[in-house]
């Protein structure tokens, strides 16, 4: 089952089709054509892939009265290292390009800085000159939204801001900005986004926001209720474990099976945080588990 964090990020891009283009242009500095409409398209690629393989979101930017496709954006939410993705992502791009007959970009979104490094690695397809370099939006590229007007104009961006920065010192200000945006949302989106924002904030910010929402807040959306039984910490633990492995792989260190298994089996957030720091400096992956230091 995909994690609540993964599905929440996917929903942001589906609910705001322009979000992919906005982040490409504003956060990553990529040229985006002037478009009149952004439309979410079916993302299954069953022509050449099994039916259970599909991109998270495909957005097509349309221009002029003819609504001609000017650019397609394949959005992939990535919360952990997946050895299959360097083989699948080029297929997503080429298949989407062939389907819509327009330039196609791959936008990978992650809220983990270490994983962003792994996602950014160029993918050599083996054909001369055909290398795919994913465009990656990590937490450092997500704006810190604390302005109420900015939040009202782009509610999905303030939710993304909470997911990327809500654990930091700006958490309270982001939460207040979200409340300003929530007023104008329909009931379903308001409930879903409130669940996501609350679960993303640091403890002090969460208490403050819950008090402002008249206290006693319960998960309201059907989406969140379907995942909350799996534990609120599950996504955080999984993300940190994957971050440890991503750091080691990004440094091209061989990861023995026993190290990988130990990292993925850990449920201790403090231990995982310690391993993340050690993963950046050890010379051998086995040193990660050393009891000293």
């Amino acid at each position: 089952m995909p994690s609540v964090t993964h599905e929440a990020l996917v929903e942001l891009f589906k609910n705001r089709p322009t979000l992919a283009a906005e982040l490409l242009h504003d956060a990553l500095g990529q040229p985006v054509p002037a478009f009149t409409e952004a439309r979410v398209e079916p993302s299954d690629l069953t022509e050449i892939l099994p039916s259970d393989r599909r991109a998270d979101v495909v957005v097509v930017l349309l221009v002029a009265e003819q609504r001609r496709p000017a650019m397609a954006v394949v959005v992939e939410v990535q919360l952990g290292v997946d050895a299959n993705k360097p083989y699948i992502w080029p297929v997503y791009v080429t298949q989407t390009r062939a389907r819509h007959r327009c330039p196609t970009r791959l936008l990978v979104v992650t809220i983990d800085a270490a994983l962003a490094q792994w996602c950014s690695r160029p993918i050599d397809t083996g054909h001369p000159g055909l290398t795919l370099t994913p465009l990656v939006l990590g937490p450092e590229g997500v704006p810190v939204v604390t302005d109420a007007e900015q939040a009202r104009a782009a509610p999905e961006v303030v939710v993304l801001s909470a997911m990327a920065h809500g654990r930091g010192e700006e958490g309270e200000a982001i939460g207040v900005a979200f409340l300003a945006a929530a007023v104008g949302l329909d009931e379903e989106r308001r409930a879903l986004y409130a669940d996501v924002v609350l679960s993303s904030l640091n403890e002090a910010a969460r208490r403050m926001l819950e008090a402002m929402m008249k206290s006693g807040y319960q998960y309201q959306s059907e989406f969140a209720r379907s995942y909350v039984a799996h534990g609120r910490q599950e996504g955080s633990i999984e993300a940190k474990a994957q971050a440890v492995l991503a750091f080691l792989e990004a440094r091209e260190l061989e990861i023995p099976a026993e190290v990988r298994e130990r990292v993925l089996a850990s449920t201790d957030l403090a231990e995982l945080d310690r391993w993340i720091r050690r993963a950046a400096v050890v010379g051998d992956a086995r040193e990660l588990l050393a009891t000293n230091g």
Side-chain angles (χ1 to χ4, degrees):
M1 172 181 283
S3 71
V4 62
T5 304
H6 180 279
E7 294 305 297
L9 283 165
V10 170
E11 287 299 309
L12 295 183
F13 286 89
K14 288 183 177 179
N15 290 340
R16 186 180 180 85
T18 60
L19 182 59
E22 292 164 355
L23 293 174
L24 278 175
H25 182 271
D26 298 338
L28 299 180
Q30 292 291 315
V32 174
F35 59 93
T36 53
E37 180 185 351
R39 184 174 64 198
V40 175
E41 293 285 344
S43 56
D44 63 286
L45 301 172
T46 54
E47 288 90 340
I48 54 177
L49 289 177
S51 59
D52 62 342
R53 292 286 179 84
R54 63 181 62 205
D56 287 324
V57 185
V58 173
V59 177
V60 176
L61 308 181
L62 306 173
V63 298
E65 294 181 1
Q66 297 82 9
R67 303 172 79 225
R68 175 178 53 83
M71 177 181 289
V73 184
V74 177
V75 180
E76 277 282 281
V77 173
Q78 199 65 27
L79 301 181
V81 173
D82 185 341
N84 290 321
K85 291 305 175 75
Y87 298 94
I88 295 172
W89 283 343
V91 177
Y92 286 175
V93 171
T94 55
Q95 182 66 11
T96 300
R97 177 176 176 269
R99 175 178 293 178
H100 297 287
R101 304 286 174 157
C102 66
T104 299
R105 305 285 178 90
L106 170 66
L107 174 62
V108 181
V109 179
T110 180
I111 55 175
D112 184 276
L115 189 59
Q117 297 180 16
W118 179 84
C119 295
S120 299
R121 295 187 298 183
I123 300 170
D124 184 355
T125 65
H127 184 83
L130 187 56
T131 299
L132 174 65
T133 302
L135 301 171
V136 179
L137 180 73
E140 71 286 346
V142 176
V144 178
V145 180
T146 59
D147 178 75
E149 288 303 316
Q150 184 182 0
R152 290 190 190 98
E156 285 73 18
V157 178
V158 73
V159 176
L160 186 60
S161 182
M163 298 176 80
H165 307 296
R167 302 289 181 186
E169 60 184 18
E170 299 286 352
E172 291 190 13
I174 295 171
V176 172
F178 165 72
L179 287 183
V183 174
L185 298 175
D186 60 79
E187 183 176 350
E188 182 178 358
R189 277 202 299 166
R190 183 167 60 248
L192 169 60
Y193 292 174
D195 290 336
V196 173
V197 170
L198 277 172
S199 66
S200 300
L201 298 179
N202 62 58
E203 186 64 29
R206 182 164 58 250
R207 287 198 302 267
M208 177 275 301
L209 194 61
E210 287 174 342
M212 294 179 71
M213 297 170 71
K214 305 301 183 183
S215 191
Y217 179 81
Q218 299 294 321
Y219 281 87
Q220 298 179 32
S221 67
E222 185 65 31
F223 170 86
R225 285 197 298 270
S226 67
Y227 286 96
V228 73
H230 293 267
R232 292 176 67 164
Q233 283 192 318
E234 180 182 6
S236 177
I237 290 171
E238 179 184 358
K240 286 180 182 292
Q242 295 291 355
V244 174
L245 300 177
F247 256 128
L248 295 173
E249 291 197 355
R251 298 182 60 219
E252 299 185 348
L253 296 179
E254 181 181 354
I255 306 175
E258 64 270 19
V259 174
R260 185 180 297 274
E261 291 172 5
R262 174 77 183 281
V263 170
L264 293 176
S266 177
T267 58
D268 186 333
L269 287 172
E271 179 179 62
L272 290 167
D273 282 333
R274 184 171 66 253
W275 286 347
I276 288 174
R277 292 190 295 271
R278 289 181 60 81
V281 297
V282 295
D284 186 298
R286 294 177 181 85
E287 299 175 22
L288 187 75
L289 308 182
T291 57
N292 59 340

